Amino acid sequence: MTRIVSGTAKGRTLKVPANGTRPTSDRVREALFSRLDHLGYVTDCEVLDLYAGSGALGLEAASRGASFVQLVEHAKGAVNAIRENSRTLGLDVVVDNAKVETWLAREPNRRFDLVFLDPPYALGEEDLARALQLLTPHLEHDAMVVVERSSRSPEPTWPAQLEREDERSWGDTRAWSAVVRPATTKVEA
């Protein structure tokens, strides 16, 4: 049973599609969000949840006070579950039924402070690297990106604009986080 860990919807159960999704466990979400909260990456932030699946990450962010949450998921059953969860929990989120690469290829209409990528474990490393590259125009200047994969997966190939910040493991789950590299400025002599 998947529940919201904290915030306005704390303890409420999420409907999870019967198949095709792998919701982030409550334990992993609790640890992940505890760290993100501590770093100031949830409350009043604009959050993007790619490969949203059940929506557990994006809905958790909404429950914890994110100012805007956008979820992108291709599977229609998962999209329906996210929309139902949003209504049931009273959490205001935007859900797009689209392939992640197609959605990211669009011209950005906003920039995000925090982005989750929790793709299917079967997604190839080249496809993940392409998604990360397409993501960069959608990021705020100090954004954090969190990638969740199987503990057997290699570290993602980060685009030049992102710098790995941390790596954590919980059982079969591993999460990497990266931040937007600070812009370098030339100092005139």
Side-chain angles (χ1 to χ4, degrees), residues 5 7 19-20 29 38 68 81 95 103 106 128 148 158:
V5 176
N19 54 39
R29 266 184 296 113
H38 175 74
F68 177 83
V95 185
W103 193 92
R106 299 176 188 164
L128 177 58
E148 182 182 326
W158 302 107

Side-chain angles (χ1 to χ4, degrees), residues 51 101 117-129 131 149 153:
Y51 308 98
E101 284 191 22
L117 291 94
D118 185 8
Y121 284 171
L123 184 78
E125 297 308 314
E126 287 181 17
D127 292 329
L128 177 58
R149 301 285 275 165
S153 297

Side-chain angles (χ1 to χ4, degrees), residues 47-155:
V47 177
L48 176 60
D49 184 358
L50 300 172
Y51 308 98
S54 68
L57 292 168
L59 293 166
E60 185 75 41
S63 177
R64 290 174 180 248
S67 61
F68 177 83
V69 178
Q70 171 84 53
L71 298 98
V72 180
E73 173 55 51
H74 180 63
K76 188 65 175 162
V79 168
N80 291 338
I82 295 167
R83 288 182 175 146
E84 184 177 331
N85 285 327
S86 172
R87 280 190 303 274
T88 302
L89 300 174
L91 298 173
D92 188 23
V93 299
V94 175
V95 185
D96 277 340
N97 184 196
K99 289 185 175 183
V100 167
E101 284 191 22
T102 303
W103 193 92
L104 289 172
R106 299 176 188 164
E107 186 68 28
N109 61 358
R110 70 180 340 119
R111 305 250 187 279
F112 295 93
D113 304 297
L114 175 61
V115 179
F116 295 105
L117 291 94
D118 185 8
Y121 284 171
L123 184 78
E125 297 308 314
E126 287 181 17
D127 292 329
L128 177 58
R130 188 171 22 264
L132 287 166
Q133 186 63 52
L134 288 169
L135 172 63
T136 59
H138 298 268
L139 299 174
E140 275 294 348
H141 65 90
D142 58 350
M144 178 170 285
V145 176
V146 178
V147 176
E148 182 182 326
R149 301 285 275 165
S150 161
S151 60
R152 295 172 300 282
S153 297
E155 179 175 353

